[in-house]
Amino acid sequence: MNNLTIVMYHHVREIKNSKYPKIKGLEFISFKRQLDYLENNYKIIEAQKLLDFASGGKDLPKNSCLLTFDDGYKDHIEYVLPELLKRKIKGSFFPSASPAVEQNILDSDYIHFILACCPNYKELISLLNQLCLDNGITNQELKNNWIKYGIATRFDTKEVRYVKGMLQHLLPRERRNKIIKKIFKKYIGIKTEKFSKELYMSFGDTKKLVHNGMYVGGHGYNHLWMDKEDRKSQETEIELTLEFLKNVGAPIKKWIMCYPFGAYNSETLSLLKEKNCSAGLTIKIGANNLAKDNLFKLKRFDTNDFP
């Protein structure tokens, strides 16, 4: 009783014949097959069931499963929403707010699309290293960072992991963004606002999710690594997140936070509790026992972990 499996999705679209056939994501036909599997093996619940447990200990159904969709992609309104409505399933969506409000691009997506569009990773790493040298990084630091970041993970090669690590962490944010944008211009070459409108849900799209009974929760405003920000910066992120949720008609009392990159620290948890948040979603892998687990450190499976 009160065991909860949470599944995490990002891109869900028709990928193979699309403009970006190498983007990492779930083919729409595979998404439909996976929903078949989940419906046959779990009780797919709405986010309110989790919130009811958090506020009053109300039991969840046996084999409960929550579907979560991160980052606010256009895929979620064009592919996911119609399929969920067709099946009478309630999904939980966690868009970062700034793309919908300001039509910008999250750093993580700059990187994902650079990797998807670059024909040669050796060439990409050579360009990246040269731009880093131009911005004050030494050759020895590059060698040290290859040792640090050039380690394959279960979803990424060592080359991909190196590029991600360097572009997410190495330089101060302003200089890092300049490097990312130069590389993006070389390999994709689309203006930021146009690309953002193609990639992300609009403000109106997000309101449509709420109107159709889907849960919309927090995923930050600028999609920051919260554990690397000071308390003031984190507080600003959370306040901007709540303002966005309020404006699209989503709940801002007894709400759920989905940590960007799964990153948080004790300051994050303290601030969320002050802001009437009830639960937090990580990217740690595993099922949850709500009676025992910390509700602000809930684990999730990746879509790739299921048939």
Side-chain angles (χ1 to χ4, degrees):
M1 187 66 70
N2 295 320
N3 292 326
L4 177 61
T5 296
I6 306 176
V7 188
M8 171 176 56
Y9 297 92
H10 290 86
H11 294 289
V12 179
R13 57 169 71 180
E14 294 177 350
I15 300 172
K16 187 177 179 180
N17 297 315
S18 73
K19 190 175 180 180
Y20 303 102
K22 293 184 179 180
I23 195 70
K24 285 190 174 182
L26 185 64
E27 286 281 3
F28 182 50
I29 191 170
S30 299
F31 175 63
K32 290 190 283 186
R33 283 199 297 263
Q34 192 166 97
L35 288 181
D36 291 339
Y37 171 83
L38 293 171
E39 285 187 295
N40 287 331
N41 290 277
Y42 295 88
K43 173 63 176 177
I44 300 177
I45 63 168
E46 58 185 309
Q48 190 59 47
K49 296 286 187 184
L50 171 57
L51 293 168
D52 288 344
F53 179 89
S55 62
K58 188 174 180 180
D59 288 339
L60 270 62
K62 186 178 179 181
N63 292 330
S64 288
C65 178
L66 184 71
L67 307 183
T68 64
F69 302 87
D70 291 12
D71 296 341
Y73 296 122
K74 204 76 169 178
D75 305 0
H76 300 165
I77 203 76
E78 293 183 349
Y79 293 98
V80 174
L81 177 62
E83 189 64 24
L84 295 185
L85 291 174
K86 178 181 174 182
R87 296 171 183 252
K88 298 182 180 179
I89 293 173
K90 297 292 180 69
S92 299
F93 296 81
F94 298 92
S96 287
S98 62
V101 176
E102 300 179 27
Q103 288 76 56
N104 60 17
I105 302 172
L106 303 178
D107 282 357
S108 56
D109 285 318
Y110 272 125
I111 296 167
H112 287 155
F113 279 87
I114 286 168
L115 288 165
C117 294
C118 171
N120 186 316
Y121 286 163
K122 287 185 178 179
E123 176 190 275
L124 171 59
I125 290 172
S126 177
L127 173 60
L128 169 59
N129 286 346
Q130 185 57 55
L131 290 170
C132 287
L133 291 170
D134 293 343
N135 279 272
I137 301 300
T138 67
N139 273 307
Q140 187 58 51
E141 285 176 303
L142 290 179
K143 291 177 182 178
N144 292 341
N145 279 289
W146 174 259
I147 295 170
K148 180 178 181 180
Y149 295 123
I151 302 170
T153 64
R154 68 183 188 135
F155 294 136
D156 291 331
T157 65
K158 60 184 179 181
E159 290 82 8
V160 168
R161 190 69 204 95
Y162 175 73
V163 171
K164 286 183 177 180
M166 293 287 281
L167 291 179
Q168 288 173 348
H169 302 300
L170 183 60
L171 293 163
R173 189 179 303 148
E174 188 174 329
R175 279 194 289 167
R176 189 170 68 239
N177 286 348
K178 287 181 180 179
I179 289 176
I180 290 172
K181 288 178 180 179
K182 281 185 179 181
I183 300 174
F184 183 83
K185 183 177 180 180
K186 174 179 175 61
Y187 290 111
I188 292 91
I190 299 175
K191 289 185 177 180
T192 296
E193 185 175 342
K194 182 177 186 297
F195 190 82
S196 178
K197 287 180 178 179
E198 292 176 357
L199 182 60
Y200 301 106
M201 291 188 295
S202 67
F203 185 85
D205 290 335
T206 312
K207 291 183 73 172
K208 184 177 179 181
L209 291 175
V210 176
H211 178 74
N212 280 279
M214 302 295 154
Y215 180 80
V216 175
H219 198 45
Y221 188 84
N222 292 300
H223 201 262
L224 303 179
W225 293 77
M226 296 291 272
D227 60 342
K228 298 183 183 301
E229 301 293 322
D230 61 27
R231 184 180 178 88
K232 181 61 179 175
S233 175
Q234 290 195 50
E235 185 172 23
T236 298
E237 272 291 295
I238 294 169
E239 288 175 348
L240 288 171
T241 298
L242 288 170
E243 181 180 354
F244 175 73
L245 294 179
K246 179 181 178 181
N247 289 339
V248 298
I252 58 171
K253 292 183 179 179
K254 298 181 180 179
W255 58 286
I256 302 170
M257 178 68 172
C258 176
Y259 309 115
F261 306 105
Y264 62 90
N265 58 21
S266 59
E267 297 280 18
T268 319
L269 303 186
S270 173
L271 286 164
L272 289 174
K273 290 171 184 176
E274 289 177 14
K275 303 294 183 181
N276 297 308
C277 184
S278 295
L281 308 181
T282 74
I283 58 171
K284 293 176 183 175
I285 305 162
N288 301 282
N289 181 333
L290 299 188
K292 297 180 180 179
D293 295 341
N294 186 328
L295 295 183
F296 285 86
K297 300 180 181 180
L298 294 176
K299 299 180 287 292
R300 295 190 288 171
F301 288 101
D302 188 88
T303 175
N304 292 301
D305 293 316
F306 289 89

